[in-house]
Amino acid sequence: MLDYDLHCHSNVSDGTLTPAEVVDRAFSRGVKVLALTDHDDMDGLDEARMRALQHDMRFINGVEISVTWRKHTLHIVGLNIDPEYGPLKDGLQAVRSGRTARAMKMSDDLARAGIGGAYQGAVKFAHNPNMIGRTHFARYLVDSGHCKDVKSVFNRYLVVGKPGYVPHEWAKLSDAICWIRGSGGIAVLAHPGRYMVGKNSMGKKTMRELLVEFSMLGGRALEVVTGSHTAEQYIEFARYADEFNLLSSCGSDFHGPGESYRDMGRLPDLPLICRPVLEILQ
Ligand code: AMP
Ligand code: MN
Ligand code: MN
Ligand code: MN
């Protein structure tokens, strides 16, 4: 099996490595085809593509768009997008624009829970000041001794019903898919298992409704193998992909050494019933 990774982050969004460092790490760990998929921003793609060329790796332009669908926050990965496509650029600019005000509200809420200085603290971890998000706050909460690691932050803070959570209106699902498709890209529903756990999560009926709507809008693939899915979830979402006639994607969702569910490098194979989205990206 070819080692490939269609979902990862650099410090252009909430990863800790530069785009070039992400590519170097992927290369040194055997990845042959890589998509960089920063949240709501495509500024890392040029640097990453140039470094991938030096390593003779195949590079795919990607992005991960934050979406509000009903009461849920979803992430839609765009693969093979054209970063020069105007509506996509403008759309992402609009999605990013609310982040700073949201971050200030998150900081106020944390202050009410007795944690001061969170905005200033989080900004220090945000390499791209327009892209401040929950991961930067999580790093501050670890750095200031409130939590032992980034993962455990999301059990006690920054999620629905806990200090530091601020509801936010992201892009519309229809817009995100439209921007991706309009730019020549493939829309992938990222880490679907994450929408089915925790407070405010969706049940199976809602997941099916989402998959119907996603397909009707022109979404093409489901992320089946991802860092945050269990082996059982690979099978569960391979079945959904089969039922809804969607292709399957595979990516680490790497954010930084020692911080992510999974490092870059060999990922488990897609279940055999899957039709890999990689095949139509070749
Ligand atoms: P934001 O776009 O600012 O809402 O931040 C979302 C980011 O927070 C995700 O892309 C993840 O990097 C991180 N995140 C959210 N939930 C978790 C979790 N349960 N464990 C680890 N990281 C999480
Ligand atoms: Mn992230
Ligand atoms: Mn995501
Ligand atoms: Mn991601």
Side-chain angles (χ1 to χ4, degrees):
M1 266 290 286
L2 179 67
D3 280 2
Y4 66 99
D5 191 332
L6 302 178
H7 186 156
C8 64
H9 297 271
S10 75
N11 64 6
V12 164
S13 63
D14 59 357
T16 58
L17 305 180
T18 65
E21 287 167 347
V22 170
V23 174
D24 287 348
R25 190 175 184 94
F27 175 74
S28 69
R29 297 175 66 94
V31 175
K32 303 286 189 291
V33 182
L34 181 72
L36 177 67
T37 56
D38 273 310
H39 298 286
D40 308 322
D41 201 315
M42 306 182 288
D43 275 359
L45 296 177
D46 283 347
E47 180 185 319
R49 186 181 321 100
M50 269 161 31
R51 185 57 67 96
L53 200 67
Q54 288 170 16
H55 291 307
D56 210 15
M57 287 162 76
R58 190 153 161 247
F59 183 74
I60 293 166
N61 286 325
V63 69
E64 180 175 20
I65 306 181
S66 313
V67 158
T68 300
W69 180 77
R70 300 188 185 173
K71 60 173 183 171
H72 306 280
T73 297
L74 310 176
H75 286 173
I76 306 296
V77 162
L79 297 174
N80 244 353
I81 44 142
D82 173 4
E84 297 309 320
Y85 180 63
L88 176 61
K89 281 200 326 202
D90 297 346
L92 295 181
Q93 163 73 40
V95 178
R96 285 193 299 271
S97 68
R99 278 191 177 266
T100 300
R102 170 194 187 232
M104 288 174 177
K105 288 188 204 154
M106 288 166 65
S107 183
D108 290 345
D109 200 55
L110 286 168
R112 280 190 284 276
I115 299 173
Y119 181 77
Q120 292 310 325
V123 161
K124 292 204 183 97
F125 290 96
H127 168 85
N128 176 354
N130 302 320
M131 269 305 301
I132 185 160
R134 285 188 287 162
T135 312
H136 306 112
F137 279 85
R139 290 183 188 133
Y140 168 71
L141 289 170
V142 173
D143 194 53
S144 56
H146 289 94
C147 297
K148 72 170 172 19
D149 56 29
V150 164
K151 254 174 253 170
S152 55
V153 171
F154 289 93
N155 298 323
R156 284 165 55 201
Y157 300 101
L158 312 180
V159 293
V160 183
K162 306 279 170 162
Y165 181 77
V166 172
H168 193 75
E169 194 73 23
W170 302 105
K172 286 198 179 88
L173 180 63
S174 54
D175 285 340
I177 296 176
C178 202
W179 302 331
I180 291 168
R181 290 181 72 200
S183 83
I186 304 284
V188 183
L189 180 64
H191 45 64
R194 296 244 300 252
Y195 315 134
M196 301 180 83
V197 292
K199 223 176 165 184
N200 219 1
S201 60
M202 57 177 87
K204 290 183 179 170
K205 179 169 175 283
T206 307
M207 175 54 72
R208 299 193 116 77
E209 288 166 6
L210 169 61
L211 292 173
V212 167
E213 197 170 321
F214 176 73
S215 305
M216 279 195 342
L217 292 167
R220 295 289 305 279
L222 202 54
E223 211 170 55
V224 169
V225 169
T226 157
S228 54
H229 278 180
T230 62
E232 290 73 39
Q233 285 174 314
Y234 302 157
I235 308 292
E236 180 186 356
F237 288 101
R239 291 202 178 111
Y240 277 113
D242 187 49
E243 178 183 342
F244 289 86
N245 202 21
L246 292 164
L247 299 165
S248 297
S249 191
C250 170
S252 60
D253 206 357
F254 175 76
H255 282 70
E259 200 176 276
S260 290
Y261 292 97
R262 247 191 191 275
D263 207 326
M264 311 200 83
R266 182 148 194 91
L267 290 162
D269 291 341
L270 286 169
L272 285 171
I273 56 164
C274 293
R275 287 176 301 135
V277 72
L278 185 68
E279 283 172 12
I280 67 160
L281 295 171
Q282 307 279 16

